[in-house]
Amino acid sequence: MGGSIASYPTGPRGNGSGNGSGALQSDGRQVIPDQPQPPSTPLLELRGVRASYGRIEVLHGVDLAVPAGSVVALLGPNGAGKTTTLSVCSGMMPPTAGGVYIAGRRVNGAKPDQLARAGVCTIPEGRGIFPNLTVRENLQMMTYAGVSLSHIEEAAFTRFPRLTDRRTQVAGTMSGGEQQMLAMARVLATDPALMLLDELSMGLAPLVVEELYGIVAQIASSGISILVVEQFARTVLGVADVAAIMLHGRVVKVGHPKALEKDLSAAYLGADGI
């Protein structure tokens, strides 16, 4: 079951070693709340977020919320700002304005490793693995989060049986779908509260994508919140609780996936005013 961000302050997640002081920024300020937040508080929220590459602003006041225990799909064509949004959420890119909130606490300036220890974990575009290491070695790397290898392997091979026969195989020689399974297994080893998925379907056959999103649905049912970015909207709509359409650095519409199907078609065809 997904860990609560408010319940895992500073130590490795899931081992009870937190000291109750909350995750800290480099200047010693808390970025993760110690006390449980009201049920209505989104696990992740962006309020008026702007972000730039040099002088070029690419996010123009993004508002987006991921309720606890839900799957939110952030959809839109290439260049809409989806990956940049994930970079801001994960701490890889600081916002130039606006606020990023985790469980109700503003976390602007928090580093990626601090957010990861607090339960915000990312699977980046193009696989989140070490391709030159074996499957077992990739999983062993996650023991630095304070979890035993036996526990990590048991969880990984139970959820992803296909990896059992691949444990001594070099990860980069596996199929794309198997590499994504390994990436998810590595993230799940840290007992995350929030998963950020970037273009899970990239370069994969439709049947493999369908299988992977079936696994995403299983993960979500365990209580883990998920924000998934996809260019190919149809692949994720079946598992998403909420869909958000992004165009030109702004979230232009949010709603139930079925209610947004016509708007999605317009967005990908370049129609205005959706």
Side-chain angles (χ1 to χ4, degrees), residues 83-273:
T83 294
T84 301
T85 299
L86 280 197
S87 295
V88 171
C89 293
S90 64
M92 294 292 292
M93 183 175 184
T96 56
V100 181
Y101 295 81
I102 301 292
R105 178 63 62 88
R106 184 181 173 102
V107 297
N108 289 38
K111 296 179 181 178
D113 62 304
Q114 293 170 324
L115 292 177
R117 289 189 183 96
V120 181
C121 295
T122 306
I123 297 179
E125 179 181 340
R127 323 285 187 261
I129 63 169
F130 294 97
N132 295 324
L133 301 181
T134 66
V135 168
R136 192 169 195 270
E137 289 167 342
N138 266 274
L139 295 175
Q140 188 171 12
M141 293 292 290
M142 302 311 293
T143 61
Y144 290 102
V147 187
S148 69
L149 179 59
S150 61
H151 175 79
I152 292 172
E153 287 188 320
E154 179 182 359
F157 299 145
T158 298
R159 190 177 289 276
F160 305 101
R162 195 181 304 180
L163 296 180
T164 306
D165 297 331
R166 303 282 193 266
R167 67 179 72 196
T168 60
Q169 184 171 337
V170 175
T173 65
M174 296 194 302
S175 70
E178 290 168 342
Q179 289 182 41
Q180 288 290 38
M181 290 178 189
L182 177 57
M184 285 192 278
R186 281 168 45 82
V187 164
L188 291 171
T190 64
D191 187 25
L194 173 66
M195 288 179 63
L196 307 175
L197 306 180
D198 192 4
E199 301 284 4
L200 190 65
S201 66
M202 178 171 285
L204 302 179
L207 285 177
V208 175
V209 173
E210 183 178 353
E211 180 182 4
L212 288 175
Y213 272 110
I215 295 171
V216 169
Q218 294 172 14
I219 294 170
S221 69
S222 71
I224 297 173
S225 300
I226 299 173
L227 174 60
V228 56
V229 157
E230 270 291 355
Q231 180 181 356
F232 302 106
R234 306 297 177 191
T235 61
V236 68
L237 289 179
V239 301
D241 300 299
V242 178
I245 302 175
M246 189 168 215
L247 289 174
H248 311 302
R250 293 182 175 88
V251 173
V252 296
K253 208 151 200 178
V254 178
H256 189 277
K258 287 187 178 180
L260 295 188
E261 285 188 2
K262 290 184 179 179
D263 294 318
L264 281 168
S265 298
Y268 284 89
L269 291 172
D272 294 324

Side-chain angles (χ1 to χ4, degrees), residues 5-12 15-24 28-36 105:
I5 284 182
S7 302
Y8 291 85
T10 57
N15 68 357
S17 61
N19 61 12
S21 62
L24 302 179
R29 291 183 292 116
Q30 285 192 10
V31 296
I32 302 299
D34 295 322
Q35 300 302 319
R105 178 63 62 88

